Amino acid sequence: MRYLTEAQVWQLANAAAFSGDKGQRNKLLVLVLFYTAARKDAVLHITPGSLIAPDMVQIRRLKGAKDMPTMQECNIPSWLFQMLVAYVKEHCITSKQLIFDISGVRCWQIIKTLGLGLGWDITVHSLRHSRAVDVALKTGNPMIVQGVLGHASWRTSDIYVGIAREQMAAKALRGLQEKPH
């Protein structure tokens, strides 16, 4: 699986902005998928009523295949919250309407097409995993990654800390190899 850096997610979002008449929606979709680290179905169920504070959105989380969906508050950057509010106002979306009124298949197609346009073979879930690695790189703490992903155990999230360590080691090694001797 390919893990995108935050800068690459912004490349994807900016490419989305120029993806036709739904560019603004698609850009927001990319950013919300990444910054919430929520699963596609949870993001597609966000309504204006889900925007509960200047830096918080309420999303559905499935705790397990047999469990009922639960609502969880998810921190998002305040600038992303403001972008969502502006989009809702501009498109006259009522409090119970979906902000991203598209199917799961269409969501997958959008992300896949945008990625391929940049030469990347990614899926919607790549954004969730990329955020997990991003948080692991920034904190090194599997319990923080657990909170972001909504996992029941930090041990499930520890894999992302391992991936982050591997990426940091590879970057350090490249830096050593590039130095003149």
Side-chain angles (χ1 to χ4, degrees):
M1 173 175 287
R2 180 183 175 99
Y3 300 100
L4 302 177
T5 64
E6 190 170 14
Q8 289 172 321
V9 170
W10 274 98
Q11 276 184 272
L12 192 68
N14 288 329
F18 298 103
S19 60
D21 63 333
K22 301 296 184 184
Q24 184 183 14
R25 179 205 63 200
N26 294 347
K27 179 178 183 172
L28 275 174
L29 179 64
V30 167
L31 295 172
V32 171
L33 283 164
F34 178 73
Y35 284 103
T36 63
R39 289 180 173 85
K40 164 187 51 111
D41 292 338
V43 168
L44 296 180
H45 281 87
I46 295 174
T47 65
S50 303
L51 305 173
I52 55 176
D55 61 351
M56 196 162 295
V57 63
Q58 198 172 47
I59 58 171
R60 286 179 350 142
R61 291 252 195 225
L62 295 174
K63 299 260 182 199
K66 296 180 182 177
D67 293 337
M68 295 295 294
T70 58
M71 298 307 284
Q72 179 180 1
E73 293 175 354
C74 180
N75 290 320
I76 59 171
S78 57
W79 56 263
L80 181 53
F81 182 92
Q82 294 304 320
M83 286 175 71
L84 285 165
V85 168
Y87 180 81
V88 164
K89 286 181 182 175
E90 183 179 330
H91 292 85
C92 302
I93 302 171
T94 63
S95 65
K96 294 187 180 182
Q97 286 180 298
L98 299 175
I99 293 175
F100 304 107
D101 193 14
I102 58 174
S103 70
V105 170
R106 183 66 189 127
C107 179
W108 185 89
Q109 291 170 337
I110 290 166
I111 301 304
K112 191 72 171 170
T113 303
L114 288 169
L116 289 174
L118 294 170
W120 305 333
D121 187 16
I122 60 170
T123 66
V124 174
H125 215 64
S126 299
L127 293 170
R128 176 175 164 83
H129 290 288
S130 295
R131 181 61 175 165
V133 172
D134 178 63
V135 170
L137 280 167
K138 290 176 179 171
T139 68
N141 187 335
M143 293 184 350
I144 294 174
V145 177
Q146 172 195 2
V148 169
L149 294 177
H151 287 164
S153 168
W154 66 268
R155 286 183 175 89
T156 310
S157 305
D158 196 38
I159 188 170
Y160 300 105
V161 175
I163 293 166
R165 286 185 186 126
E166 288 173 15
Q167 286 186 356
M168 290 187 315
K171 184 176 180 180
L173 184 59
R174 280 192 306 275
L176 288 174
Q177 291 171 341
E178 292 171 1
K179 287 186 178 180
H181 293 34

